[in-house]
Amino acid sequence: MENKQIKKSILRKLSSAVIGRLESFFYRFGFAIGCHPWRTILGCLSLVALSSLGILRFHQEKDPMKLWIPRNSDFIHDTNWLVNQFREGQRVQSILITAPNVLEPQVLRKLEDIQQKLENLNADGITWEDVCFRIPVVDFIFKRRKRDERENLILDKDHVDYEKDSVFDLGSLLGDDMYCRIINKLDTACMEHSVLELWKFSQQKIHNLTEEKIIKALNRTTVSPVYGHSTDYVQLLGGIRRNGTGHIVGASALLSLYMVHVDFLSVNFDENGNEAGTADWATTPILKWEQKFMDMMENVTRHAQEIEVFYEAGRSFADISAAAMFQDIDKLIIGIVMMFIYIQLIVSKFNLVECRLLVGSIGLLCILMAFIVACGFCSLLGISYGPVHTALPFLLLGIGVDDMFVIVTCWKNLNLGNNQASLPEKIGRTLQHAGTSITVTTVTDITAFLVGSLTFLVIILTLGLAAAGIRGCILLKQKFDPNWFLAKHTHLYKFNMERAKFFPDIGQDAEIYFGRLNYSAELPNIYRLLTQFKKEENIIKNLEEWYSGFRYYVNRNIGKDIATDILSDDEFSTYISKYLFSPIGSKHQKNFRFDGHLRCGQPAPPITVSSFDFKFKLFDGPEEFLPAMNKVKKLLHESNFTTGDRFSTVWGKVLANWVTDEVIDTELYRNLSLACVCVMVCTLLLIINIMACLSVFLCVLLTLVSVGGFLHYWGQTIDSTSCIGLQLATGLCVDYAAHICLAFLSRTGTRSARALDAVTSIGPAIYSGGLSTLLAISMLALSDSYIFTSFFKIFFLVVMFGLFYGTMFLPVLLSLIGPKPYESLQATAPQPEEMKVYSLCNAEEPS
């Protein structure tokens, strides 16, 4: 017991010493400011000016990979590999037409009119032919009627399916030289996926169509007359109606897709990214053309008759999400103006003499100066500015205005009984006792009544809120939907809703990539992997791979089964080259990259990259798509490749969101835990009182739990936006409790009297700061932006729960089990004999 008493005594003395030193430092600091006000002002302005030089190194990060994806993620590594090895990709432009029956001739004529407008677009000399993704055209298909009669060949462009028909190698009939001369003369074409392919985009044929011809072509054609590739046109129809025999007789929606070519190595996010960090890979010519495409489609949608037209450009999401981040900035400005008016009402008096307009203005100016210093200093350190930093003004307003209220009210309080003190003395005492504040009668009476008379009620209410918060935190889901960033009036939101309605199973695009393998040796492993993929029908669909076609081609034309027969390296190079220049294999040229040029009639160079295309099924949330993603990764990991670089991976743009969702809840709870620990350590170092520190920590913890729980009841989920908001919340909610606790330790008397005195002295300033924060964000409640509405919900809850736990629950807790006051509460300011150190200061007394 004696040792415990000694330890407690040491802690109290140490605590008093630290507080005394702090108050002494701030007194001297304030006194110096009062002696040299203009030097102080010039010093502050100089600091801002010097910090602003950091803007010379200012860099706004726009690369989404660096902004939103965890740096140690496999997705980052795979993306960099893909950019450097595969080097190119596609951006999709989509047009969706809905009508009672889109298979009527007049609907296709209107689609053909849109097609003509698209092909004639010119954006500063950039045309569709300049930006489109080109694929080889092999528009001749030979099919033998009898299995063993190769001499009986007929030309059949209407129907082919290599799974059913015996397509053979025309090169073996004509010879490689003659065949390749034909192939080399064939053109490439822009990659489009539209039912208009059925009539080779011919305006004359389309205008002469009848409904019977349209339905007949859709039910019979499985090979594109334009490209010569097997094509499933049924996937382009939504709301399909069939007759008793299963044939298509009508549909309610029609989708057309247009692929734009992207050279990954030419993409520069500093030039072509956006402030929200949501841009996709694109170059300047692509973005110009897509803007022209959107302008054209906007005009088409406005003048469409008898049909409805929806569209999506490659840049649509980036443009709309970036605009959404700043579209309601006017509401934020209105909120700041309201906060400024409130500040004036608090710090001023209602007469022309004491209307302290300049004081309130300088307070907000200080917040702006802090923002400039922070940005400039971080720029000097090479820290880039990103969209997350747009939340910084919220935090500075919340903290800065609170501190201003505490200082101003302390100044008022000192002036009431010490009008003869010098200006330096007043400033010194103000900074020394900035933890106290004058009383605002109404708030003081209500709070004092709650502390003094309704202690039990406050405890019950705290327990109830905490229980509700814990339950809400347990139910709080991790979910993010990109559509939340889109306003309902935008063209992309409307397009997404219609596509979800008519194409509910369209899925999410993804690819499987293989690196520099010895493919002749790894074909059996690829076969086993492909067999496993085909079994996962509950997570993947529309698997388009080159292996099955290659196996069929080699079996039919060479007589070997690559699933069991081992090919030599030379045989594989020869056969894969023949396959990729054959009618059934040419469409897969886009799935390969070689260490050299692929030429018809010559063995293929070593393969550097090959890929399979597929779609993930649509999932409801992380509980479904994360296991699906990890299942595919596991299958690849177990593929047992033993040659070359052994590299294989799954990649898709949607995985950028999924890998973030995989770690964001863990990151959130970890970061909040670390923030709480930091709060506890800092509080302990400054107050040096374990009981007081635990009390503040408890209030912060209860605030965060309640905010998280009630976010669930308010329809919020865990995503990047809420994660950032909750991180900022920690810095705000600690202020409320820390002010009360410090004031409690600085009072003498019984616990109840000290708690009441703490609330009545500092509570009004805390409430003023909280209310000013609410006013600043109040207009965001009317915003259509998901980011702004999320921030409003979070900051509103932080202020409300922070005030409750800090000014109501904490005083009750302190009145029951609060620590003893500081051992010495004598004034820590320098005594008159110590004032000689300031003898050079000749500040005038205030009039």
Side-chain angles (χ1 to χ4, degrees):
M1 288 296 293
E2 185 176 352
N3 290 334
K4 289 184 179 181
Q5 292 297 329
I6 294 175
K7 291 179 180 179
K8 289 182 179 180
S9 177
I10 293 174
L11 285 175
R12 285 197 296 269
K13 291 180 179 180
L14 185 59
S15 177
S16 298
V18 170
I19 295 300
R21 292 293 182 95
L22 285 175
E23 290 185 345
S24 177
F25 167 78
F26 280 113
Y27 175 83
R28 293 171 183 271
F29 182 66
F31 197 93
I33 290 174
C35 290
H36 309 288
W38 288 109
R39 291 184 187 179
T40 304
I41 293 173
L42 290 176
C44 292
L45 294 177
S46 299
L47 176 61
V48 174
L50 289 174
S51 299
S52 65
L53 293 177
I55 297 178
L56 296 176
R57 293 191 59 192
F58 180 83
H59 175 254
Q60 184 172 8
E61 187 59 71
K62 300 178 181 179
D63 188 344
M65 301 300 296
K66 297 179 180 178
L67 289 170
W68 306 114
I69 311 299
R71 293 185 179 181
N72 59 348
S73 168
D74 291 340
F75 186 79
I76 294 288
H77 172 268
D78 295 346
T79 301
N80 291 332
W81 178 89
L82 178 65
V83 168
N84 292 300
Q85 298 295 325
F86 209 71
R87 299 187 296 278
E88 65 179 2
Q90 306 169 16
R91 287 164 67 93
V92 183
Q93 325 295 315
S94 306
I95 298 175
L96 176 61
I97 293 178
T98 62
N101 186 8
V102 294
L103 302 184
E104 294 179 348
Q106 64 269 23
V107 175
L108 294 191
R109 285 195 286 269
K110 291 179 180 179
L111 177 59
E112 193 277 333
D113 180 60
I114 297 174
Q115 176 84 20
Q116 291 296 322
K117 291 179 179 179
L118 181 147
E119 293 178 353
N120 293 329
L121 283 179
N122 190 310
D124 296 332
I126 303 166
T127 66
W128 169 237
E129 293 286 332
D130 297 326
V131 299
C132 70
F133 188 94
R134 307 191 73 86
I135 56 175
V137 173
V138 187
D139 59 349
F140 55 91
I141 297 295
F142 284 84
K143 181 182 70 174
R144 68 183 179 207
R145 290 298 180 98
K146 295 184 179 180
R147 189 180 185 95
D148 299 320
E149 296 178 358
R150 291 197 176 186
E151 65 278 8
N152 295 329
L153 304 175
I154 66 167
L155 187 66
D156 188 344
K157 297 184 180 180
D158 291 332
H159 177 76
V160 67
D161 187 339
Y162 64 75
E163 296 290 347
K164 300 176 181 178
D165 300 317
S166 302
V167 180
F168 68 96
D169 183 10
L170 184 60
S172 65
L173 177 68
L174 302 178
D176 288 344
D177 290 342
M178 181 177 293
Y179 179 76
C180 288
R181 281 200 297 270
I182 296 174
I183 289 294
N184 292 334
K185 289 181 180 179
L186 294 175
D187 199 1
T188 60
C190 292
M191 186 177 180
E192 304 170 8
H193 198 19
S194 169
V195 295
L196 299 183
E197 294 174 34
L198 296 171
W199 303 278
K200 292 188 173 182
F201 300 103
S202 169
Q203 185 177 26
Q204 181 179 358
K205 290 181 179 180
I206 294 171
H207 279 257
N208 291 329
L209 286 175
T210 63
E211 187 172 348
E212 181 181 358
K213 290 181 178 180
I214 295 172
I215 293 176
K216 182 178 179 180
L218 277 170
N219 282 288
R220 292 187 176 184
T221 310
T222 59
V223 172
S224 170
V226 175
Y227 308 107
H229 305 154
S230 58
T231 306
D232 183 5
Y233 292 100
V234 177
Q235 292 183 353
L236 299 176
L237 302 178
I240 297 175
R241 299 185 290 276
R242 299 178 184 268
N243 60 16
T245 60
H247 290 85
I248 297 172
V249 295
S252 302
L254 189 59
L255 185 64
S256 296
L257 307 174
Y258 305 87
M259 313 303 176
V260 169
H261 176 265
V262 181
D263 180 359
F264 288 149
L265 298 180
S266 300
V267 173
N268 186 334
F269 281 105
D270 287 337
E271 294 181 0
N272 301 314
N274 61 34
E275 289 77 7
T278 55
D280 203 348
W281 284 282
T283 58
T284 300
I286 291 175
L287 294 176
K288 287 184 177 180
W289 187 88
E290 288 182 345
Q291 182 61 57
K292 198 75 173 180
F293 168 77
M294 290 195 300
D295 294 340
M296 181 267 289
M297 289 306 303
E298 180 64 26
N299 183 61
V300 169
T301 57
R302 284 200 303 265
H303 297 92
Q305 297 179 356
E306 299 178 359
I307 63 171
E308 288 190 276
V309 181
F310 308 91
Y311 65 97
E312 174 191 24
R315 64 179 295 167
S316 292
F317 181 78
D319 289 356
I320 294 174
S321 59
M325 182 171 287
F326 305 103
Q327 69 180 11
D328 290 321
I329 199 70
D330 55 332
K331 294 182 175 65
L332 179 60
I333 294 174
I334 294 174
I336 293 175
V337 171
M338 294 170 59
M339 181 188 68
F340 177 74
I341 295 173
Y342 176 75
I343 291 174
Q344 294 305 127
L345 294 176
I346 295 297
V347 302
S348 302
K349 292 185 178 179
F350 295 97
N351 58 65
L352 297 179
V353 177
E354 295 178 286
C355 180
R356 297 183 175 90
L357 185 64
L358 186 60
V359 173
S361 301
I362 294 297
L364 293 182
L365 178 62
C366 289
I367 296 173
L368 176 62
M369 292 167 64
F371 182 74
I372 295 174
V373 171
C375 291
F377 185 71
C378 289
S379 296
L380 282 174
L381 297 178
I383 300 174
S384 299
Y385 185 91
V388 173
H389 297 106
T390 56
L392 187 58
F394 287 101
L395 182 61
L396 292 175
L397 279 172
I399 296 177
V401 171
D402 290 355
D403 293 341
M404 182 180 69
F405 277 123
V406 171
I407 293 173
V408 170
T409 51
C410 180
W411 172 269
K412 285 183 178 180
N413 206 23
L414 287 173
N415 282 339
L416 289 177
N418 197 18
N419 287 326
Q420 301 303 315
S422 65
L423 180 61
E425 175 72 10
K426 289 181 178 181
I427 296 178
R429 294 296 182 184
T430 297
L431 292 185
Q432 177 190 4
H433 301 292
T436 59
S437 180
I438 60 173
T439 300
V440 177
T441 306
T442 304
V443 175
T444 301
D445 289 345
I446 294 175
T447 308
F449 176 75
L450 285 174
V451 173
S453 306
L454 299 178
T455 297
F456 182 74
L457 178 59
V458 171
I459 293 176
I460 293 297
L461 183 58
T462 298
L463 293 175
L465 291 175
I470 292 173
R471 179 179 180 274
C473 286
I474 294 173
L475 297 176
L476 187 62
K477 292 184 178 180
Q478 168 204 343
K479 186 176 182 180
F480 172 72
D481 186 346
N483 285 326
W484 294 344
F485 281 127
L486 308 177
K488 294 183 179 180
H489 66 273
T490 60
H491 71 270
L492 182 56
Y493 181 86
K494 296 176 181 177
F495 173 85
N496 287 343
M497 293 301 103
E498 293 297 313
R499 182 173 59 181
K501 176 182 177 182
F502 291 107
F503 299 89
D505 299 324
I506 198 168
Q508 302 278 7
D509 292 325
E511 298 85 30
I512 299 295
Y513 289 97
F514 307 101
R516 294 175 180 265
L517 309 177
N518 184 335
Y519 282 83
S520 58
E522 298 291 2
L523 284 176
N525 286 329
I526 294 177
Y527 173 67
R528 284 193 293 270
L529 179 64
L530 185 59
T531 302
Q532 292 295 324
F533 278 146
K534 290 182 177 180
K535 292 179 181 179
E536 301 296 333
E537 297 179 350
N538 58 326
I539 61 174
I540 65 175
K541 57 183 292 187
N542 298 349
L543 179 62
E544 296 183 5
E545 37 79 25
W546 53 265
Y547 178 90
S548 297
F550 180 53
R551 179 186 179 187
Y552 177 86
Y553 177 87
V554 173
N555 183 260
R556 288 296 184 187
N557 295 288
I558 289 88
K560 291 187 177 182
D561 187 355
I562 63 173
T564 56
D565 299 331
I566 302 299
L567 301 180
S568 67
D569 292 347
D570 291 338
E571 286 177 325
F572 175 79
S573 297
T574 300
Y575 299 158
I576 196 67
S577 177
K578 288 178 176 292
Y579 172 67
L580 292 178
F581 284 104
S582 70
I584 66 169
S586 60
K587 68 177 182 178
H588 291 298
Q589 286 187 22
K590 65 182 178 64
N591 296 107
F592 287 86
R593 293 295 179 272
F594 299 92
D595 191 6
H597 294 290
L598 178 67
R599 301 184 187 280
C600 181
Q602 298 181 10
I607 297 173
T608 58
V609 185
S610 71
S611 65
F612 294 166
D613 301 328
F614 73 98
K615 291 181 182 293
F616 279 107
K617 288 194 171 183
L618 292 180
F619 303 109
D620 289 336
E623 64 280 358
E624 292 184 3
F625 64 65
L626 290 180
M629 177 184 69
N630 291 326
K631 178 64 176 180
V632 174
K633 288 183 177 181
K634 181 181 179 182
L635 291 176
L636 289 171
H637 181 71
E638 296 174 348
S639 57
N640 297 321
F641 294 128
T642 59
T643 63
D645 59 11
R646 304 181 183 182
F647 182 82
S648 63
T649 189
V650 56
W651 192 93
K653 293 177 183 177
V654 69
L655 266 65
N657 294 329
W658 291 2
V659 296
T660 302
D661 287 341
E662 188 175 24
V663 300
I664 194 168
D665 57 343
T666 304
E667 293 278 328
L668 173 62
Y669 294 124
R670 184 196 68 183
N671 293 342
L672 287 180
S673 299
L674 290 175
C676 289
V677 170
C678 291
V679 166
M680 187 172 181
V681 171
C682 292
T683 306
L684 182 60
L685 291 176
L686 293 175
I687 298 179
I688 313 186
N689 187 298
I690 295 178
M691 188 61 197
C693 174
L694 291 175
S695 299
V696 173
F697 175 77
L698 179 61
C699 289
V700 172
L701 183 62
L702 287 172
T703 300
L704 292 177
V705 169
S706 297
V707 170
F710 279 80
L711 282 177
H712 164 72
Y713 302 131
W714 210 341
Q716 198 75 21
T717 60
I718 296 177
D719 57 28
S720 298
T721 302
S722 58
C723 184
I724 295 169
L726 287 172
Q727 289 284 147
L728 298 177
T730 309
L732 281 179
C733 62
V734 68
D735 279 8
Y736 307 132
H739 282 305
I740 293 293
C741 191
L742 187 58
F744 178 82
L745 291 172
S746 302
R747 267 67 177 175
T748 59
T750 64
R751 288 193 180 99
S752 298
R754 292 162 59 203
L756 181 60
D757 191 20
V759 172
T760 55
S761 61
I762 202 65
I766 294 176
Y767 277 102
S768 296
L771 183 56
S772 65
T773 302
L774 290 179
L775 286 173
I777 65 171
S778 59
M779 295 301 294
L780 298 184
L782 305 177
S783 173
D784 292 329
S785 167
Y786 172 74
I787 295 177
F788 280 160
T789 54
S790 296
F791 271 17
F792 168 76
K793 293 177 182 179
I794 293 171
F795 279 84
F796 176 82
L797 292 175
V798 167
V799 172
M800 298 304 293
F801 284 115
L803 289 175
F804 173 78
Y805 289 119
T807 63
M808 294 187 183
F809 168 71
L810 181 59
V812 170
L813 181 66
L814 294 175
S815 69
L816 297 175
I817 57 172
K820 295 181 180 181
Y822 295 130
E823 285 196 349
S824 176
L825 293 177
Q826 60 184 1
T828 57
Q831 299 302 316
E833 59 269 24
E834 297 177 286
M835 291 298 180
K836 57 185 178 183
V837 298
Y838 303 110
S839 59
L840 295 180
C841 175
N842 296 314
E844 296 182 359
E845 294 286 329
S847 56

